[in-house]
Amino acid sequence: MHIFLYGPSGSGKSTLGSLLAQDLEMPFLDLDANIEAHVGMPISSIMRARGEETFRDLESLALKDSVNQPVQVIALGGGALLRAENRALAEAHGQVIFLETDPAVLIERLKQDKNQRPLLAGELESSLRSLLREREDHYGSFPLRVNTGMEPGRILPNIRTLLGRHRLRAMGAPYDVVVHEGGLDDIGNLLTSRGCGGTALLVSDEHVAPLYADCVLASLQKAGFSVELTVIPSGEDHKTVDTVAALWRAALAAGLDRKSTMLALGGGVVSDLTGFAAATFMRGCNWAVLPTTLLSMVDASIGGKTGFDLPEGKNLAGAFYPPRLVLADPQVLSTLPRRELRGGLAEVLKHGVIADPVLFDLCAQGEAAVMQALSQVVKRAVAVKVQVIEQDPYEHGIRAALNFGHTVGHAVELISAYSLQHGEAVAIGMAAETKLAEKLGIAQIGLARQITDALAGVGLPVAIPSGFAPEELVNAMRVDKKKADGVVRFALPVKIGEVKPGVAIDDLMLALEE
Ligand code: NAD
Ligand code: MG
């Protein structure tokens, strides 16, 4: 899919487009500049000499030509999508981001080079305002919109969030994290365009394979891969070294070597195991993740942590090993059991609390609203995790913010003997830890209520079940592996959008009392 930047003259399409292209490591095309180079004169001259219709014809031709080139970022002219056929073409071949800019700012920018803007000749301010009025409905009709009234450094992450496209550079070889409806059908091409090819092993579990493996296999075969499917039993009980060994052997049997690719199609159990198997098979081969649970889309698949459980505890052995691609296709969430979906929503809400008030507000509207906007919810939650990983890939500082809700949460999960699902336990943990933050004066009074209401609104539990002995919970918190030097540290919310990591607490009972 191409990325088109659109908006009136002066909204920054060329500047932002070239920055975005650099950021995503994609080619950049400025459609107007391209036409000028082709015709050999400035657009203002083309318009004057041959009229607007002729220019629009040239523009349509240039657009048609551009969509047939390899995927790129394309800065469009300010009226390039006025023709219905142009708009249909752009929307069929890519995503259109509309750049919203205050007219006063546009005027300031355009004053600098008004000779270049033929349709705005004459009294700049009045002609711009009448042009904007004329195109108001048109410009208003593009759903993906970004406000450009800030530094480019702050606009770019917002564009990446809307697109659901990120290039993660913080952990060795850069790789793309992409959220794309229907993207599974295209996985073969997405991998070959990233230099993967040859032999592949598709790993999935017994629930997911019957639903989605065929479509992934077909796409890989179409792109020229020789691929075998391995299906593992589902569930945390199988996140063991035995399953890892089974994957190594399946890889050998399928003829994989160090240049081959393993693909994880499933939830966090499948991706943790496949990632670890890939990290260690012949000392490391390529791997890619196709997360199929909400939790794995917004959490487990991003950040390069892989591993498995030991009888002594969860995730006790593993490696940081970044994949070549993460592709989340929100369409697959339609078959995810409701309880699993809600569990994922706990982590989504956590991401909202950590860094995205818009995401939090969306979730606070309740489960029905979230289901309506699931793709957007996934994109925003993915963006938060990517942003945290970029700042702190190996968990030395701010990445600890992701532990919000998890100190009490892990203890509750353990004492429930895993009858509470991880997300349910984290929801209970977030409610308890926000109350703690209020007691300590870290959070404003009222935050606990706000977070608790939002969690309950998407169907998550918020109270520690009666019958859980506080002493046992305290002990469980003390053995949590995330404690350092014997001190239990919490990541506590300050307000929606900000969490303070590393808060040491001696009296753990404080986290459990109402
Ligand atoms: P999971 O992989 O066990 O999947 C949950 C269940 O949903 C399974 O039964 C699975 O078969 C089924 N399922 C998955 N996708 C489906 C779909 N689209 N339709 C129907 N059924 C589907 O669990 P999870 O919640 O995705 O992941 C939990 C694991 O992730 C834990 O082992 C945890 O330790 C790990 N994790 C890892 C990281 C990390 O950074 N690596 C972060 C968080 C969690
Ligand atoms: Mg978690």
Side-chain angles (χ1 to χ4, degrees):
M1 297 290 267
H2 297 285
I3 297 169
F4 296 98
L5 295 189
Y6 191 46
S9 304
S11 55
K13 301 180 294 284
S14 305
T15 312
L16 284 169
S18 111
L19 289 171
L20 183 68
Q22 262 176 42
D23 184 36
L24 296 175
E25 291 173 39
M26 286 166 73
F28 172 63
L29 180 81
D30 187 317
L31 205 68
D32 278 353
N34 200 21
I35 296 168
E36 290 184 336
H38 192 73
V39 181
M41 57 170 124
I43 290 189
S44 50
S45 310
I46 304 175
M47 289 255 195
R48 260 194 308 273
R50 307 203 204 154
E52 185 179 348
E53 274 312 294
T54 308
F55 167 68
R56 295 284 172 219
D57 290 341
L58 290 168
E59 194 174 43
S60 297
L61 284 175
L63 184 66
K64 271 189 199 125
D65 183 52
S66 72
V67 299
N68 291 322
Q69 293 168 23
V71 171
Q72 54 189 342
V73 177
I74 302 171
L76 295 165
L81 302 186
L82 284 166
R83 286 185 175 175
E85 52 169 292
N86 288 4
R87 178 172 185 168
L89 190 71
E91 289 180 335
H93 288 87
Q95 292 165 286
V96 180
I97 297 283
F98 185 81
L99 304 181
E100 276 183 307
T101 315
D102 182 353
V105 175
L106 291 179
I107 289 161
E108 270 317 299
R109 288 193 193 142
L110 294 178
K111 272 185 186 156
Q112 327 246 324
D113 65 344
K114 59 182 157 192
N115 293 333
Q116 299 303 315
R117 315 282 178 172
L119 293 184
L120 296 172
E123 224 289 275
L124 186 72
E125 176 152 5
S126 64
S127 50
L128 176 76
R129 288 199 190 275
S130 81
L131 189 91
L132 289 178
R133 249 192 320 277
E134 221 172 86
R135 293 185 183 167
E136 191 178 347
D137 289 347
H138 172 66
Y139 282 159
S141 68
F142 291 87
L144 299 182
R145 315 176 72 79
V146 75
N147 187 306
T148 62
M150 57 192 95
E151 306 261 288
R154 288 180 51 215
I155 304 170
L156 281 189
N158 292 341
I159 297 181
R160 299 193 316 184
T161 302
L162 282 181
L163 291 168
R165 269 189 100 118
H166 307 266
R167 185 116 180 115
L168 242 173
R169 293 192 176 77
M171 313 182 83
Y175 64 96
D176 290 330
V177 177
V178 180
V179 182
H180 182 24
E181 293 268 355
L184 275 195
D185 294 334
D186 206 29
I187 180 63
N189 289 327
L190 292 173
L191 283 174
T192 50
S193 67
R194 285 166 178 79
C196 298
T199 330
L201 182 71
L202 176 63
V203 181
S204 192
D205 77 14
E206 59 190 323
H207 298 145
V208 180
L211 294 166
Y212 304 110
D214 279 351
C215 137
V216 174
L217 287 171
S219 173
L220 290 168
Q221 278 155 355
K222 204 169 144 204
F225 281 89
S226 146
V227 54
E228 295 286 332
L229 169 68
T230 286
V231 180
I232 60 174
S234 98
E236 190 74 30
D237 288 351
H238 299 279
K239 201 172 125 179
T240 60
V241 70
D242 290 342
T243 312
V244 172
L247 296 182
W248 287 328
R249 301 184 65 203
L252 266 185
L256 267 68
D257 59 27
R258 294 172 71 173
K259 293 201 172 70
S260 307
T261 306
M262 293 194 197
L263 281 97
L265 172 69
V269 169
V270 172
S271 57
D272 277 9
L273 287 166
T274 308
F276 186 78
T280 44
F281 180 72
M282 299 200 173
R283 300 195 177 80
C285 65
N286 298 321
W287 77 295
V289 200
L290 307 171
T292 62
T293 63
L294 181 57
L295 178 120
S296 59
M297 288 183 190
V298 306
D299 191 354
S301 70
I302 310 166
K305 280 198 208 172
T306 71
F308 56 90
D309 302 336
L310 295 178
E312 289 80 358
K314 284 180 67 174
N315 299 319
L316 289 179
F320 281 102
Y321 192 64
R324 298 292 295 259
L325 172 70
V326 178
L327 171 70
D329 179 352
Q331 278 178 8
V332 304
L333 298 176
S334 62
T335 54
L336 188 67
R338 192 45 74 95
R339 191 172 175 199
E340 297 295 339
L341 194 97
R342 286 181 177 152
L345 282 176
E347 303 284 0
V348 167
L349 259 156
K350 183 193 77 179
H351 287 11
V353 175
I354 293 174
D356 186 354
V358 174
L359 176 60
F360 181 86
D361 289 345
L362 219 164
C363 295
Q365 290 172 31
E367 199 170 13
V370 169
M371 296 309 289
Q372 277 290 316
L374 204 50
S375 196
Q376 196 197 342
V377 163
V378 171
K379 283 181 182 167
R380 297 203 76 96
V382 162
V384 172
K385 177 106 193 210
V386 165
Q387 181 191 320
V388 172
I389 301 293
E390 275 176 338
Q391 287 175 44
D392 178 22
Y394 299 106
E395 216 169 320
H396 299 307
I398 191 73
R399 188 163 172 178
L402 296 169
N403 285 330
F404 167 48
H406 281 63
T407 308
V408 173
H410 279 147
V412 169
E413 193 179 7
L414 195 72
I415 302 302
S416 81
Y418 295 96
S419 66
L420 281 172
Q421 200 247 18
H422 177 71
E424 293 165 348
V426 168
I428 293 169
M430 285 195 276
E433 292 180 17
T434 312
K435 283 178 202 148
L436 173 67
E438 278 190 13
K439 278 181 234 164
L440 297 173
I442 288 174
Q444 274 181 352
I445 303 297
L447 189 67
R449 178 82 240 202
Q450 201 185 351
I451 291 177
T452 306
D453 285 352
L455 291 165
V458 295
L460 285 162
V462 290
I464 297 175
S466 58
F468 280 31
E471 302 73 28
E472 280 186 44
L473 287 167
V474 165
N475 284 338
M477 276 189 256
R478 288 207 189 283
V479 302
D480 190 300
K481 74 173 161 35
K482 268 151 196 144
K483 77 178 188 318
D485 51 40
V487 184
V488 180
R489 288 188 171 76
F490 286 73
L492 294 179
V494 176
K495 59 180 187 205
I496 301 300
E498 186 183 340
V499 163
K500 184 176 175 187
V503 183
I505 303 288
D506 294 328
D507 180 6
L508 292 172
M509 276 298 177
L510 213 56
L512 303 175
E513 289 156 0
E514 270 308 297

